[in-house]
Amino acid sequence: MRAAAGTAGLQWASLALWLLHSGACDSGRADPPDILRIAIPDEVGQLTPYGAAVPETLLGLVYDKLAAPAPYMGQARPHLAAAITSETADGRRWRIKLRDGIRWHDGAAFGAGDVAFTLTFYRDGPANRWTHHVSETPRIVGVAIIDRLNLEIRCADPCPQFDKVTAADLPILPAHLWGNVREPHRYAGPLVGTGPYRVVAFAAGRYARFEANASYFAGPPRVPALLVSFVRNPATAWAALRAGELDFVSSSLPPELVEPFRRSPQLAVIAGDPMTAVELRMNFEREPLSRPDFRRALVLAVDPDELARRVVPGAARSGGAGYPHPDSPWTAPGMGLRSDVGRARALLDELGFIDRDRDGRREDRAGAPLRLGIKISSSEPLQLRAGEVLMAQLKAAGVASRLEVVDPAHHRGLFVTRQFDLVVSEISAHGLADPDQFAQSHRSGYLWRAGRPHPELEALLSRWRRAETPEERLAAGFALQRLQRSEPTTMALYYQRGFFAYRPVRFAKWRSVPGLGVFHKWSFLPEQSL
Amino acid sequence: MTARPLGRLPGHVLVLWLGVSTNFLLPRLIPGDPLQFLVGEEGSRLTPEQRQAVLAQFGMDRPVLEQYGAYLAGLARGDLGVSISYGASVAEVIGARLPWSLLLVGGAALLAAAAGFLLACLFHRLAAGRTRIYFMGAVVGVGSVPAFLGGMVAIAVFAVQLGWFPTHGAVALDAEGPAIVGSVLHHSLLPLATLTLAQLPSFFLLARAGLEGALRSTYTMLARAHGVAPWRILLWHAAPNALLPFINHLGITLGGLVGGTVVVETLFGYPGMGSLLHQGIVAHDLPLLQGVFLCFVLAVVMANASADLLQARLDPRLRTLEGPAS
């Protein structure tokens, strides 16, 4: 714990040092203005939907989806598709009519065969991040090509939100290049999509260079070329931005750096909503967290307003707005939470966790001290700060806790190993604002695990699966969310706002799209394309 | 002449085998699952067949002992497996990164050694009394600054404020032809300086101690009595003897540095082995970690073996002890 705190302290020291140089001069090179230089903090090894942890917004430059821009706000419209219409009242069959005249970057014609191939390949081939959205939620059991531009899909259960959610989620692959691929995670073929940018150079883990697809069906991109560098350390990327070596950094600025960057004459800051949150997940498979009342008591003991105020002042919304994302149209109204330490204490007393030896910490009925571990990734200093505030809040309710800082791989692996009591982590828009994923998370182990008995939840999931219309599906989703609220397995601590620094003299038309942030293809496309 | 180093060969081979086996075992002890990185949270929901289909692409669907056998057999063929995060041959991925690290590490170790030795000579020749304390304090103080902090300061001052050097990367992406060499040097200077400063005190202290011992020996006293110039005594008589432990240290430093550049490479966005190691850990990329660790083991073994060979060549006493040169 001490070592971890030291590490975080060093990281903050480096940021503080950074602030000393707020008056840095602009020493940027005069690069051709037709290339926009961007840094992202991920070391992208493969630029395909099978690449591990490749940002979807980067993929979106190359690959398109049937609907756009995203499945998060219920506003997805046909994109590669000209129309996506329900064929039956039970929401099981959908007809997809594709736009005519679209071509892959290599010149091949795009058509129904590509869509049919992609859906089938994601479902039957080696799994990727999208597999469960064709094999399970929803379960697509039939894909029939009607003609070159028309196809029909059939779901085992109703899939009433196929047009707004599933169609806006799956990137489409070219069948003529991927048709014979048996090991997609090792794909080494041409990086060809239908998107607004074609890949002209890619060095794994270092950079990717893109050129505009002038014949893009949604209009030619405004920036002729992009050079995306993979710079793992955001502080280095921000330094490069100040030095004029970059034009945009896709990492959100920490609160302390927003104002210094705003004040810099060469730089500007744009706010974007990535629809992400930092959450506190509870291991519902471990005592005493397996008891819903105990989890509820913890949630009542936590004050998300104070957390947001102290950890990310001015840069986040309190998690008291509720879970999942309060801005999503798929989220039930009235999901807000109010901290109540008194009720938390009373609940813990009722459960038999009482401070018997008057040392300020509760013990269970057998007299064993109650002490929870809070695991935090060593790469997230802000979350470490959140953990420290959390510890103090839990202590006020008599719950002793300790911070356990672990490396990022270990932290990610906790999902499988389940070696935690509480874990602070970040959740993306996909988990927070995609209604299908919310249901899926109750099966995957994220919010609940399939096979773990919970009759009420199973009934609600069954109702959700059987819902035939968008309205019924929405109502079933709301019921699921209310159950999560009353028997929480996670809670949002704060919803981060993204603040992205850029050089306006190079490019100033960045656009915020909820769930995608600012760096995405829509920033480079004509206004009317979205 | 090479009898002693050759005599150590079985030891080096044993170390190599132990290293290779540990490389295989250690990454597997890290909690987690590569599927988490490949397919996200759904990794835990996959059917056994789906898991196998994904892992089979990387040869990780087999029992551990079988994987170990395949790993050793692959090593014999020069096949290090397939990286999970890059989807490409580990040998290719390492091949693209190793030269950058060698440039950085080799350059930093040699520069630190040369500067450390030179400073030690100056220390003995020019400094006296309190100046010695300040001198030593300054060198040790500069070297004690953590690499990440020194690097941040270097970036802030020399890249951002003054604009003399690039903040990150190994080469300008638009550099072509002979300009590439200049660009590589330009990009490497800040990370090189950061690493060099971090290594400097150990070389300085070792050389200082070695020179001190040599300057107190009878042969230097004799040289002084013969009226040999002090600089000549220092460089001609004392330095060669002080160099011997220095070379050993250089070997150890070179080997260790290959794996010790994670912070500097991450800070400067430098595409070397350190950043590859970081990626391997983050992605739970077992084949990549095996390959990277193998390189580190090889680097340590080869650097130590080279130091042994060099020492045998430089130190006549070693040759005498081991009989006539072969």
mmCIF file of all heavy atoms in Angstrom, chain A residues 21 25 43 52 132 136 183-186 232 236 240 245 409 412 415-416 440 443-444, chain B residues 36-37 39 41-42 44-45 57 82 85-86 148 160-161 166-167 267 278-279 281-282:
data_model
loop_
_atom_site.group_PDB
_atom_site.id
_atom_site.type_symbol
_atom_site.label_atom_id
_atom_site.label_comp_id
_atom_site.label_asym_id
_atom_site.label_seq_id
_atom_site.Cartn_x
_atom_site.Cartn_y
_atom_site.Cartn_z
ATOM 1 N N HIS A 21 5.586 24.326 -16.268
ATOM 2 C CA HIS A 21 5.987 24.764 -17.601
ATOM 3 C C HIS A 21 4.808 25.255 -18.427
ATOM 4 O O HIS A 21 4.758 25.093 -19.622
ATOM 5 C CB HIS A 21 6.713 23.629 -18.323
ATOM 6 C CG HIS A 21 7.978 23.286 -17.638
ATOM 7 N ND1 HIS A 21 9.124 23.980 -17.826
ATOM 8 C CD2 HIS A 21 8.255 22.350 -16.717
ATOM 9 C CE1 HIS A 21 10.072 23.478 -17.061
ATOM 10 N NE2 HIS A 21 9.572 22.478 -16.374
ATOM 11 N N CYS A 25 7.132 27.722 -24.724
ATOM 12 C CA CYS A 25 7.016 28.332 -26.041
ATOM 13 C C CYS A 25 6.580 27.302 -27.077
ATOM 14 O O CYS A 25 6.662 26.108 -26.854
ATOM 15 C CB CYS A 25 8.357 28.919 -26.446
ATOM 16 S SG CYS A 25 9.633 27.676 -26.610
ATOM 17 N N GLU A 43 -1.188 0.950 -27.270
ATOM 18 C CA GLU A 43 -0.222 0.363 -28.206
ATOM 19 C C GLU A 43 -0.982 -0.627 -29.081
ATOM 20 O O GLU A 43 -1.117 -1.797 -28.745
ATOM 21 C CB GLU A 43 0.903 -0.347 -27.450
ATOM 22 C CG GLU A 43 2.001 0.587 -27.058
ATOM 23 C CD GLU A 43 3.348 -0.080 -26.860
ATOM 24 O OE1 GLU A 43 3.508 -1.253 -27.233
ATOM 25 O OE2 GLU A 43 4.231 0.590 -26.336
ATOM 26 N N ALA A 52 -6.475 -6.908 -30.164
ATOM 27 C CA ALA A 52 -6.735 -6.860 -28.733
ATOM 28 C C ALA A 52 -6.764 -5.409 -28.274
ATOM 29 O O ALA A 52 -5.823 -4.661 -28.512
ATOM 30 C CB ALA A 52 -5.658 -7.636 -27.991
ATOM 31 N N HIS A 132 -20.653 -12.066 -28.547
ATOM 32 C CA HIS A 132 -21.862 -12.267 -27.740
ATOM 33 C C HIS A 132 -23.031 -11.423 -28.240
ATOM 34 O O HIS A 132 -24.156 -11.643 -27.825
ATOM 35 C CB HIS A 132 -21.569 -11.995 -26.264
ATOM 36 C CG HIS A 132 -21.048 -10.627 -25.987
ATOM 37 N ND1 HIS A 132 -19.759 -10.265 -26.240
ATOM 38 C CD2 HIS A 132 -21.656 -9.526 -25.478
ATOM 39 C CE1 HIS A 132 -19.578 -9.004 -25.892
ATOM 40 N NE2 HIS A 132 -20.715 -8.520 -25.441
ATOM 41 N N GLU A 136 -25.534 -14.440 -28.604
ATOM 42 C CA GLU A 136 -26.285 -14.558 -27.353
ATOM 43 C C GLU A 136 -27.267 -13.407 -27.134
ATOM 44 O O GLU A 136 -28.430 -13.626 -26.840
ATOM 45 C CB GLU A 136 -25.284 -14.632 -26.193
ATOM 46 C CG GLU A 136 -25.909 -15.144 -24.923
ATOM 47 C CD GLU A 136 -24.878 -15.547 -23.889
ATOM 48 O OE1 GLU A 136 -23.702 -15.711 -24.248
ATOM 49 O OE2 GLU A 136 -25.264 -15.679 -22.721
ATOM 50 N N GLU A 183 -7.693 -17.956 -38.660
ATOM 51 C CA GLU A 183 -7.108 -17.469 -37.404
ATOM 52 C C GLU A 183 -7.174 -15.931 -37.405
ATOM 53 O O GLU A 183 -6.171 -15.245 -37.642
ATOM 54 C CB GLU A 183 -5.670 -17.959 -37.267
ATOM 55 C CG GLU A 183 -5.584 -19.469 -37.144
ATOM 56 C CD GLU A 183 -4.159 -19.956 -36.918
ATOM 57 O OE1 GLU A 183 -3.233 -19.340 -37.494
ATOM 58 O OE2 GLU A 183 -3.983 -20.911 -36.172
ATOM 59 N N PRO A 184 -8.361 -15.395 -37.156
ATOM 60 C CA PRO A 184 -8.548 -13.945 -37.323
ATOM 61 C C PRO A 184 -7.718 -13.101 -36.372
ATOM 62 O O PRO A 184 -7.404 -11.956 -36.687
ATOM 63 C CB PRO A 184 -10.045 -13.747 -37.059
ATOM 64 C CG PRO A 184 -10.473 -14.947 -36.288
ATOM 65 C CD PRO A 184 -9.601 -16.069 -36.746
ATOM 66 N N HIS A 185 -7.382 -13.659 -35.204
ATOM 67 C CA HIS A 185 -6.558 -12.872 -34.278
ATOM 68 C C HIS A 185 -5.127 -12.749 -34.780
ATOM 69 O O HIS A 185 -4.335 -12.012 -34.206
ATOM 70 C CB HIS A 185 -6.574 -13.507 -32.877
ATOM 71 C CG HIS A 185 -7.911 -13.423 -32.202
ATOM 72 N ND1 HIS A 185 -8.848 -14.427 -32.288
ATOM 73 C CD2 HIS A 185 -8.478 -12.449 -31.459
ATOM 74 C CE1 HIS A 185 -9.927 -14.068 -31.615
ATOM 75 N NE2 HIS A 185 -9.734 -12.876 -31.097
ATOM 76 N N ARG A 186 -4.804 -13.500 -35.830
ATOM 77 C CA ARG A 186 -3.463 -13.410 -36.422
ATOM 78 C C ARG A 186 -3.535 -12.847 -37.838
ATOM 79 O O ARG A 186 -2.602 -13.018 -38.619
ATOM 80 C CB ARG A 186 -2.818 -14.802 -36.464
ATOM 81 C CG ARG A 186 -2.605 -15.408 -35.114
ATOM 82 C CD ARG A 186 -2.019 -16.798 -35.206
ATOM 83 N NE ARG A 186 -0.728 -16.808 -35.888
ATOM 84 C CZ ARG A 186 0.006 -17.879 -36.084
ATOM 85 N NH1 ARG A 186 -0.413 -19.048 -35.630
ATOM 86 N NH2 ARG A 186 1.151 -17.822 -36.711
ATOM 87 N N ARG A 232 2.053 5.688 -25.155
ATOM 88 C CA ARG A 232 1.417 5.111 -23.974
ATOM 89 C C ARG A 232 1.278 6.123 -22.826
ATOM 90 O O ARG A 232 0.288 6.139 -22.123
ATOM 91 C CB ARG A 232 2.223 3.904 -23.497
ATOM 92 C CG ARG A 232 1.538 3.142 -22.391
ATOM 93 C CD ARG A 232 2.429 2.057 -21.869
ATOM 94 N NE ARG A 232 2.638 0.983 -22.810
ATOM 95 C CZ ARG A 232 1.769 0.013 -23.027
ATOM 96 N NH1 ARG A 232 0.626 0.007 -22.382
ATOM 97 N NH2 ARG A 232 2.032 -0.948 -23.879
ATOM 98 N N THR A 236 3.635 12.412 -21.807
ATOM 99 C CA THR A 236 4.538 12.606 -22.940
ATOM 100 C C THR A 236 3.770 13.160 -24.138
ATOM 101 O O THR A 236 4.239 14.064 -24.842
ATOM 102 C CB THR A 236 5.207 11.262 -23.323
ATOM 103 O OG1 THR A 236 5.868 10.745 -22.174
ATOM 104 C CG2 THR A 236 6.196 11.441 -24.449
ATOM 105 N N ALA A 240 4.302 16.624 -26.124
ATOM 106 C CA ALA A 240 4.484 16.692 -27.579
ATOM 107 C C ALA A 240 3.486 17.674 -28.200
ATOM 108 O O ALA A 240 3.802 18.387 -29.159
ATOM 109 C CB ALA A 240 4.320 15.312 -28.187
ATOM 110 N N GLU A 245 4.568 18.994 -31.769
ATOM 111 C CA GLU A 245 4.793 17.759 -32.524
ATOM 112 C C GLU A 245 3.488 17.028 -32.787
ATOM 113 O O GLU A 245 3.444 16.119 -33.614
ATOM 114 C CB GLU A 245 5.733 16.832 -31.747
ATOM 115 C CG GLU A 245 7.135 17.391 -31.588
ATOM 116 C CD GLU A 245 7.949 16.587 -30.583
ATOM 117 O OE1 GLU A 245 7.686 15.389 -30.424
ATOM 118 O OE2 GLU A 245 8.832 17.183 -29.951
ATOM 119 N N ALA A 409 -2.668 -5.713 -15.526
ATOM 120 C CA ALA A 409 -3.085 -7.039 -16.019
ATOM 121 C C ALA A 409 -3.785 -7.809 -14.910
ATOM 122 O O ALA A 409 -4.825 -8.452 -15.121
ATOM 123 C CB ALA A 409 -1.877 -7.809 -16.528
ATOM 124 N N ARG A 412 -7.235 -6.347 -14.496
ATOM 125 C CA ARG A 412 -8.189 -6.799 -15.507
ATOM 126 C C ARG A 412 -8.575 -8.262 -15.256
ATOM 127 O O ARG A 412 -9.710 -8.657 -15.429
ATOM 128 C CB ARG A 412 -7.582 -6.648 -16.908
ATOM 129 C CG ARG A 412 -8.619 -6.752 -17.996
ATOM 130 C CD ARG A 412 -8.037 -6.729 -19.397
ATOM 131 N NE ARG A 412 -7.172 -5.593 -19.639
ATOM 132 C CZ ARG A 412 -5.863 -5.677 -19.771
ATOM 133 N NH1 ARG A 412 -5.256 -6.835 -19.693
ATOM 134 N NH2 ARG A 412 -5.137 -4.613 -19.991
ATOM 135 N N PHE A 415 -11.611 -9.979 -13.033
ATOM 136 C CA PHE A 415 -12.919 -10.357 -13.556
ATOM 137 C C PHE A 415 -13.040 -11.880 -13.637
ATOM 138 O O PHE A 415 -14.104 -12.444 -13.410
ATOM 139 C CB PHE A 415 -13.090 -9.732 -14.939
ATOM 140 C CG PHE A 415 -14.456 -9.928 -15.495
ATOM 141 C CD1 PHE A 415 -15.501 -9.171 -15.009
ATOM 142 C CD2 PHE A 415 -14.691 -10.871 -16.459
ATOM 143 C CE1 PHE A 415 -16.781 -9.361 -15.499
ATOM 144 C CE2 PHE A 415 -15.955 -11.062 -16.956
ATOM 145 C CZ PHE A 415 -17.009 -10.314 -16.481
ATOM 146 N N VAL A 416 -11.937 -12.544 -13.934
ATOM 147 C CA VAL A 416 -11.941 -14.004 -14.034
ATOM 148 C C VAL A 416 -11.568 -14.634 -12.699
ATOM 149 O O VAL A 416 -12.229 -15.561 -12.230
ATOM 150 C CB VAL A 416 -10.955 -14.461 -15.133
ATOM 151 C CG1 VAL A 416 -10.829 -15.970 -15.145
ATOM 152 C CG2 VAL A 416 -11.407 -13.958 -16.491
ATOM 153 N N GLN A 440 -26.600 -8.458 -20.920
ATOM 154 C CA GLN A 440 -25.539 -9.450 -21.060
ATOM 155 C C GLN A 440 -24.635 -9.458 -19.828
ATOM 156 O O GLN A 440 -24.144 -10.513 -19.417
ATOM 157 C CB GLN A 440 -24.720 -9.129 -22.325
ATOM 158 C CG GLN A 440 -23.554 -10.053 -22.600
ATOM 159 C CD GLN A 440 -23.996 -11.462 -22.965
ATOM 160 O OE1 GLN A 440 -25.165 -11.687 -23.275
ATOM 161 N NE2 GLN A 440 -23.062 -12.392 -22.910
ATOM 162 N N ARG A 443 -25.164 -11.880 -17.177
ATOM 163 C CA ARG A 443 -24.835 -13.279 -17.458
ATOM 164 C C ARG A 443 -23.323 -13.488 -17.473
ATOM 165 O O ARG A 443 -22.837 -14.571 -17.197
ATOM 166 C CB ARG A 443 -25.429 -13.708 -18.804
ATOM 167 C CG ARG A 443 -26.951 -13.556 -18.861
ATOM 168 C CD ARG A 443 -27.520 -13.960 -20.207
ATOM 169 N NE ARG A 443 -27.140 -15.300 -20.597
ATOM 170 C CZ ARG A 443 -27.644 -16.404 -20.075
ATOM 171 N NH1 ARG A 443 -28.552 -16.321 -19.136
ATOM 172 N NH2 ARG A 443 -27.241 -17.587 -20.482
ATOM 173 N N SER A 444 -22.601 -12.437 -17.800
ATOM 174 C CA SER A 444 -21.156 -12.592 -18.013
ATOM 175 C C SER A 444 -20.355 -12.648 -16.723
ATOM 176 O O SER A 444 -19.188 -13.014 -16.732
ATOM 177 C CB SER A 444 -20.647 -11.414 -18.846
ATOM 178 O OG SER A 444 -20.738 -10.218 -18.098
ATOM 179 N N GLN B 36 -9.135 -12.272 -21.568
ATOM 180 C CA GLN B 36 -9.685 -10.997 -21.100
ATOM 181 C C GLN B 36 -9.264 -9.875 -22.022
ATOM 182 O O GLN B 36 -10.020 -8.962 -22.300
ATOM 183 C CB GLN B 36 -9.166 -10.687 -19.701
ATOM 184 C CG GLN B 36 -9.843 -11.397 -18.610
ATOM 185 C CD GLN B 36 -11.266 -10.938 -18.436
ATOM 186 O OE1 GLN B 36 -12.160 -11.732 -18.621
ATOM 187 N NE2 GLN B 36 -11.503 -9.707 -18.111
ATOM 188 N N PHE B 37 -8.013 -9.939 -22.437
ATOM 189 C CA PHE B 37 -7.478 -8.874 -23.285
ATOM 190 C C PHE B 37 -8.013 -9.000 -24.708
ATOM 191 O O PHE B 37 -8.292 -8.011 -25.371
ATOM 192 C CB PHE B 37 -5.954 -8.956 -23.281
ATOM 193 C CG PHE B 37 -5.279 -7.735 -23.833
ATOM 194 C CD1 PHE B 37 -5.276 -6.549 -23.136
ATOM 195 C CD2 PHE B 37 -4.663 -7.777 -25.065
ATOM 196 C CE1 PHE B 37 -4.673 -5.423 -23.646
ATOM 197 C CE2 PHE B 37 -4.046 -6.649 -25.592
ATOM 198 C CZ PHE B 37 -4.052 -5.474 -24.872
ATOM 199 N N VAL B 39 -10.902 -10.666 -25.852
ATOM 200 C CA VAL B 39 -12.345 -10.566 -26.111
ATOM 201 C C VAL B 39 -13.095 -9.830 -25.011
ATOM 202 O O VAL B 39 -14.316 -9.795 -25.018
ATOM 203 C CB VAL B 39 -12.988 -11.956 -26.340
ATOM 204 C CG1 VAL B 39 -12.331 -12.666 -27.474
ATOM 205 C CG2 VAL B 39 -12.927 -12.811 -25.093
ATOM 206 N N GLU B 41 -14.742 -8.770 -21.382
ATOM 207 C CA GLU B 41 -15.370 -9.464 -20.266
ATOM 208 C C GLU B 41 -16.023 -10.777 -20.677
ATOM 209 O O GLU B 41 -16.261 -11.645 -19.845
ATOM 210 C CB GLU B 41 -16.409 -8.570 -19.590
ATOM 211 C CG GLU B 41 -17.629 -8.279 -20.433
ATOM 212 C CD GLU B 41 -18.731 -7.609 -19.619
ATOM 213 O OE1 GLU B 41 -18.685 -6.384 -19.462
ATOM 214 O OE2 GLU B 41 -19.624 -8.311 -19.163
ATOM 215 N N GLU B 42 -16.304 -10.933 -21.964
ATOM 216 C CA GLU B 42 -16.954 -12.157 -22.407
ATOM 217 C C GLU B 42 -16.010 -13.347 -22.376
ATOM 218 O O GLU B 42 -16.423 -14.484 -22.595
ATOM 219 C CB GLU B 42 -17.547 -11.981 -23.796
ATOM 220 C CG GLU B 42 -18.744 -11.046 -23.823
ATOM 221 C CD GLU B 42 -19.822 -11.441 -22.817
ATOM 222 O OE1 GLU B 42 -20.248 -12.601 -22.832
ATOM 223 O OE2 GLU B 42 -20.224 -10.586 -22.018
ATOM 224 N N SER B 44 -14.872 -14.838 -19.981
ATOM 225 C CA SER B 44 -15.274 -15.819 -18.980
ATOM 226 C C SER B 44 -16.585 -16.518 -19.342
ATOM 227 O O SER B 44 -17.012 -17.436 -18.656
ATOM 228 C CB SER B 44 -15.413 -15.135 -17.620
ATOM 229 O OG SER B 44 -16.380 -14.114 -17.713
ATOM 230 N N ARG B 45 -17.241 -16.048 -20.397
ATOM 231 C CA ARG B 45 -18.533 -16.643 -20.779
ATOM 232 C C ARG B 45 -18.410 -17.601 -21.959
ATOM 233 O O ARG B 45 -19.381 -18.196 -22.384
ATOM 234 C CB ARG B 45 -19.508 -15.519 -21.180
ATOM 235 C CG ARG B 45 -20.089 -14.777 -20.042
ATOM 236 C CD ARG B 45 -21.275 -15.497 -19.419
ATOM 237 N NE ARG B 45 -22.364 -15.655 -20.369
ATOM 238 C CZ ARG B 45 -23.036 -16.766 -20.543
ATOM 239 N NH1 ARG B 45 -22.718 -17.848 -19.858
ATOM 240 N NH2 ARG B 45 -24.036 -16.821 -21.390
ATOM 241 N N GLN B 57 -5.049 -20.432 -31.697
ATOM 242 C CA GLN B 57 -4.304 -19.588 -32.638
ATOM 243 C C GLN B 57 -2.914 -19.252 -32.107
ATOM 244 O O GLN B 57 -2.023 -18.869 -32.852
ATOM 245 C CB GLN B 57 -5.063 -18.281 -32.875
ATOM 246 C CG GLN B 57 -6.431 -18.487 -33.492
ATOM 247 C CD GLN B 57 -7.217 -17.181 -33.523
ATOM 248 O OE1 GLN B 57 -7.149 -16.431 -34.476
ATOM 249 N NE2 GLN B 57 -7.951 -16.917 -32.472
ATOM 250 N N VAL B 82 3.627 -16.941 -31.218
ATOM 251 C CA VAL B 82 2.863 -15.830 -31.795
ATOM 252 C C VAL B 82 2.368 -14.920 -30.675
ATOM 253 O O VAL B 82 1.781 -15.376 -29.694
ATOM 254 C CB VAL B 82 1.659 -16.373 -32.599
ATOM 255 C CG1 VAL B 82 0.824 -15.235 -33.141
ATOM 256 C CG2 VAL B 82 2.131 -17.267 -33.719
ATOM 257 N N SER B 85 -0.938 -9.886 -28.445
ATOM 258 C CA SER B 85 -1.339 -8.490 -28.664
ATOM 259 C C SER B 85 -0.977 -7.978 -30.056
ATOM 260 O O SER B 85 -1.562 -7.002 -30.507
ATOM 261 C CB SER B 85 -0.745 -7.576 -27.590
ATOM 262 O OG SER B 85 0.543 -7.944 -27.254
ATOM 263 N N TYR B 86 -0.027 -8.609 -30.715
ATOM 264 C CA TYR B 86 0.353 -8.152 -32.055
ATOM 265 C C TYR B 86 -0.132 -9.096 -33.152
ATOM 266 O O TYR B 86 -0.076 -8.743 -34.326
ATOM 267 C CB TYR B 86 1.867 -7.957 -32.140
ATOM 268 C CG TYR B 86 2.363 -6.824 -31.278
ATOM 269 C CD1 TYR B 86 2.822 -7.065 -29.998
ATOM 270 C CD2 TYR B 86 2.309 -5.512 -31.721
ATOM 271 C CE1 TYR B 86 3.240 -6.030 -29.180
ATOM 272 C CE2 TYR B 86 2.728 -4.467 -30.914
ATOM 273 C CZ TYR B 86 3.189 -4.736 -29.640
ATOM 274 O OH TYR B 86 3.590 -3.699 -28.835
ATOM 275 N N PHE B 148 12.428 8.586 -14.293
ATOM 276 C CA PHE B 148 11.195 9.168 -14.825
ATOM 277 C C PHE B 148 11.149 10.677 -14.562
ATOM 278 O O PHE B 148 10.689 11.455 -15.393
ATOM 279 C CB PHE B 148 9.960 8.471 -14.220
ATOM 280 C CG PHE B 148 9.470 9.080 -12.953
ATOM 281 C CD1 PHE B 148 8.522 10.087 -12.983
ATOM 282 C CD2 PHE B 148 9.966 8.674 -11.730
ATOM 283 C CE1 PHE B 148 8.067 10.661 -11.823
ATOM 284 C CE2 PHE B 148 9.514 9.242 -10.566
ATOM 285 C CZ PHE B 148 8.561 10.240 -10.608
ATOM 286 N N VAL B 160 10.200 20.859 -24.778
ATOM 287 C CA VAL B 160 9.064 21.786 -24.826
ATOM 288 C C VAL B 160 9.529 23.248 -24.770
ATOM 289 O O VAL B 160 9.179 24.046 -25.637
ATOM 290 C CB VAL B 160 8.072 21.482 -23.678
ATOM 291 C CG1 VAL B 160 6.891 22.447 -23.726
ATOM 292 C CG2 VAL B 160 7.570 20.051 -23.790
ATOM 293 N N GLN B 161 10.327 23.563 -23.741
ATOM 294 C CA GLN B 161 10.731 24.971 -23.587
ATOM 295 C C GLN B 161 11.679 25.419 -24.694
ATOM 296 O O GLN B 161 11.481 26.451 -25.307
ATOM 297 C CB GLN B 161 11.422 25.162 -22.233
ATOM 298 C CG GLN B 161 10.490 25.012 -21.041
ATOM 299 C CD GLN B 161 9.740 26.296 -20.733
ATOM 300 O OE1 GLN B 161 9.743 27.229 -21.518
ATOM 301 N NE2 GLN B 161 9.078 26.338 -19.594
ATOM 302 N N PRO B 166 13.103 16.228 -29.945
ATOM 303 C CA PRO B 166 11.718 15.736 -29.970
ATOM 304 C C PRO B 166 11.334 15.160 -28.612
ATOM 305 O O PRO B 166 12.208 14.706 -27.869
ATOM 306 C CB PRO B 166 11.738 14.637 -31.036
ATOM 307 C CG PRO B 166 13.143 14.489 -31.479
ATOM 308 C CD PRO B 166 14.019 15.410 -30.723
ATOM 309 N N THR B 167 10.070 15.182 -28.325
ATOM 310 C CA THR B 167 9.600 14.675 -27.028
ATOM 311 C C THR B 167 9.542 13.157 -26.990
ATOM 312 O O THR B 167 9.684 12.558 -25.937
ATOM 313 C CB THR B 167 8.173 15.184 -26.736
ATOM 314 O OG1 THR B 167 7.354 14.846 -27.859
ATOM 315 C CG2 THR B 167 8.149 16.676 -26.496
ATOM 316 N N LEU B 267 8.355 6.630 -20.999
ATOM 317 C CA LEU B 267 8.344 8.088 -20.884
ATOM 318 C C LEU B 267 8.606 8.759 -22.226
ATOM 319 O O LEU B 267 7.950 9.734 -22.596
ATOM 320 C CB LEU B 267 9.416 8.504 -19.871
ATOM 321 C CG LEU B 267 9.435 9.957 -19.448
ATOM 322 C CD1 LEU B 267 8.123 10.330 -18.782
ATOM 323 C CD2 LEU B 267 10.585 10.202 -18.482
ATOM 324 N N HIS B 278 6.380 -4.011 -21.150
ATOM 325 C CA HIS B 278 5.216 -3.370 -20.536
ATOM 326 C C HIS B 278 3.935 -3.850 -21.221
ATOM 327 O O HIS B 278 2.963 -4.239 -20.575
ATOM 328 C CB HIS B 278 5.370 -1.848 -20.669
ATOM 329 C CG HIS B 278 4.380 -1.076 -19.882
ATOM 330 N ND1 HIS B 278 3.181 -0.653 -20.392
ATOM 331 C CD2 HIS B 278 4.402 -0.642 -18.608
ATOM 332 C CE1 HIS B 278 2.518 -0.003 -19.458
ATOM 333 N NE2 HIS B 278 3.236 0.021 -18.374
ATOM 334 N N GLN B 279 3.966 -3.865 -22.543
ATOM 335 C CA GLN B 279 2.794 -4.302 -23.300
ATOM 336 C C GLN B 279 2.479 -5.772 -23.003
ATOM 337 O O GLN B 279 1.326 -6.160 -22.851
ATOM 338 C CB GLN B 279 3.041 -4.109 -24.806
ATOM 339 C CG GLN B 279 1.953 -4.643 -25.718
ATOM 340 C CD GLN B 279 0.659 -3.842 -25.629
ATOM 341 O OE1 GLN B 279 0.617 -2.814 -24.962
ATOM 342 N NE2 GLN B 279 -0.380 -4.318 -26.273
ATOM 343 N N ILE B 281 3.047 -7.423 -20.316
ATOM 344 C CA ILE B 281 2.454 -7.571 -18.978
ATOM 345 C C ILE B 281 1.008 -7.080 -18.991
ATOM 346 O O ILE B 281 0.104 -7.748 -18.503
ATOM 347 C CB ILE B 281 3.290 -6.796 -17.936
ATOM 348 C CG1 ILE B 281 4.648 -7.477 -17.763
ATOM 349 C CG2 ILE B 281 2.569 -6.725 -16.605
ATOM 350 C CD1 ILE B 281 5.646 -6.688 -16.958
ATOM 351 N N VAL B 282 0.806 -5.922 -19.602
ATOM 352 C CA VAL B 282 -0.549 -5.360 -19.634
ATOM 353 C C VAL B 282 -1.517 -6.296 -20.358
ATOM 354 O O VAL B 282 -2.657 -6.486 -19.941
ATOM 355 C CB VAL B 282 -0.528 -3.977 -20.327
ATOM 356 C CG1 VAL B 282 -1.934 -3.493 -20.640
ATOM 357 C CG2 VAL B 282 0.179 -2.959 -19.441
#
